[in-house]
Amino acid sequence: MKKIYRSIRLYTHYVSINIRSMMQYKTSFFLTAIGQFLVSFTAFLGMFFMFERFSNVEGFTYSEVLLCFSIMLLDFSLAETFARGFDTFSDMVRHGEFDRVLVRPQNEIIQVLGSKFELTRIGRMIQSIAMFAYGISKSQIAWNFPKILTVVFMLIGGTAVFSALFVIYASLCFFTLDGLEFINVFTDGAREFGKYPIGIYGEKMLRFATFFIPYALIQYYPLLYVLGHRSDTILIFLPLLACWFLIPALLLWKFGIRHYKSSGS
């Protein structure tokens, strides 16, 4: 317990340092946050104009798709905020900074997590919360405790899945010394195609997003329960099951550390 407490304390210290650093340039911080808001707002506009022409997509209405998009965007934004250190890990390896991490008497995961804390992603978070609130007001969902719990689990599971993808991206840097851009297909790409329920992309895509990279467990299946399209209680807990994806990601990370050779500086 003491070790966990020290790790949490160290991480919060890292976060406070990052926040104080960002607040030294308040104008830059606010402009970047607004930029993050506007970038994702264009995706919202595309969806808005599409539904001006079509009443539904595979049976899902505008307000229902908006709930789907807002949750997926918030998942991605939370992961990018807290796990940004892994997303920019290639710079740490390429510049030889990871060597210093390894000689410190602290867990390397905590140190990498604490190296970056992107509070500017609050721009996306505000937009996703606003879209979610609007979607709730228009979707006429009969809210109860299990449905609220499902949304909370979707946020936990989604943040875990995207964080795991960032860890996989970082782990590959041990062997390539530079980031592999194809991983963005599964991070930024998932954020984009996750605007719509994954089931609309066909059976093969749904299988891939269920058994390989579990997007469907954090988005499609629990969304069906929230919207009242299905009543299976098991769907409430599927987002938590998606957290298993962290296990192979962390195993790959440990494997990468064992085979890491300094890139020099």
Side-chain angles (χ1 to χ4, degrees):
M1 287 299 293
K2 284 185 177 180
K3 189 175 181 180
I4 295 174
Y5 173 74
R6 284 198 301 269
S7 296
I8 294 174
R9 188 175 177 182
L10 177 63
Y11 178 69
T12 54
H13 180 63
Y14 279 138
V15 169
S16 67
I17 291 173
N18 275 278
I19 293 175
R20 288 199 301 271
S21 175
M22 283 184 284
M23 289 300 104
Q24 294 297 314
Y25 306 94
K26 293 184 177 62
T27 303
S28 175
F29 168 77
F30 287 115
L31 288 176
T32 305
I34 292 170
Q36 290 292 324
F37 178 92
L38 293 176
V39 167
S40 53
F41 187 69
T42 57
F44 164 74
L45 285 179
M47 182 186 297
F48 174 79
F49 288 124
M50 190 193 75
F51 275 97
E52 285 287 295
R53 183 174 180 85
F54 304 102
S55 60
N56 67 82
V57 175
E58 294 289 328
F60 291 92
T61 65
Y62 174 57
S63 58
E64 292 175 341
V65 170
L66 208 56
L67 286 175
C68 173
F69 180 31
S70 62
I71 292 174
M72 201 70 167
L73 181 61
L74 188 54
D75 287 341
F76 181 81
S77 301
L78 287 169
E80 203 174 29
T81 298
F82 291 98
R84 181 66 170 168
F86 287 103
D87 193 29
T88 58
F89 184 70
S90 58
D91 292 336
M92 186 177 286
V93 171
R94 193 166 56 250
H95 298 150
E97 295 174 11
F98 190 65
D99 296 7
R100 290 188 304 215
V101 169
L102 290 176
V103 298
R104 292 170 185 159
Q106 296 293 341
N107 184 279
E108 72 280 350
I109 291 178
I110 296 296
Q111 293 185 69
V112 175
L113 274 175
S115 64
K116 286 279 187 180
F117 182 78
E118 285 290 353
L119 191 58
T120 55
R121 269 45 181 181
I122 196 172
R124 284 182 189 166
M125 294 182 200
I126 291 172
Q127 183 189 343
S128 58
I129 291 170
M131 288 192 301
F132 186 76
Y134 180 80
I136 287 176
S137 67
K138 298 295 183 181
S139 59
Q140 299 178 342
I141 297 173
W143 288 98
N144 52 32
F145 180 73
K147 290 185 178 180
I148 294 172
L149 194 62
T150 303
V151 172
V152 173
F153 288 164
M154 289 170 79
L155 295 178
I156 294 172
T159 304
V161 168
F162 281 113
S163 296
L165 286 168
F166 289 137
V167 172
I168 291 172
Y169 170 81
S171 302
L172 295 175
C173 294
F174 288 124
F175 308 100
T176 62
L177 300 183
D178 206 349
L180 298 178
E181 292 299 319
F182 84 89
I183 296 293
N184 291 333
V185 173
F186 304 108
T187 53
D188 297 285
R191 182 194 66 202
E192 288 301 311
F193 77 70
K195 292 186 294 188
Y196 303 97
I198 290 173
I200 72 170
Y201 298 109
E203 191 65 30
K204 290 183 179 178
M205 184 61 189
L206 186 58
R207 273 198 229 103
F208 174 83
T210 300
F211 300 107
F212 292 94
I213 302 179
Y215 302 121
L217 302 187
I218 62 173
Q219 189 239 49
Y220 182 65
Y221 297 118
L223 185 70
L224 293 179
Y225 179 82
V226 170
L227 297 177
H229 294 184
R230 288 180 60 176
S231 58
D232 314 53
T233 307
I234 188 64
L235 299 182
I236 299 174
F237 302 100
L238 287 184
L240 294 183
L241 181 62
C243 293
W244 69 264
F245 194 56
L246 280 168
I247 297 174
L250 292 173
L251 289 175
L252 180 61
W253 170 263
K254 292 295 184 183
F255 178 78
I257 287 180
R258 286 198 301 270
H259 292 79
Y260 171 67
K261 295 179 181 179
S262 175
S263 62
S265 178

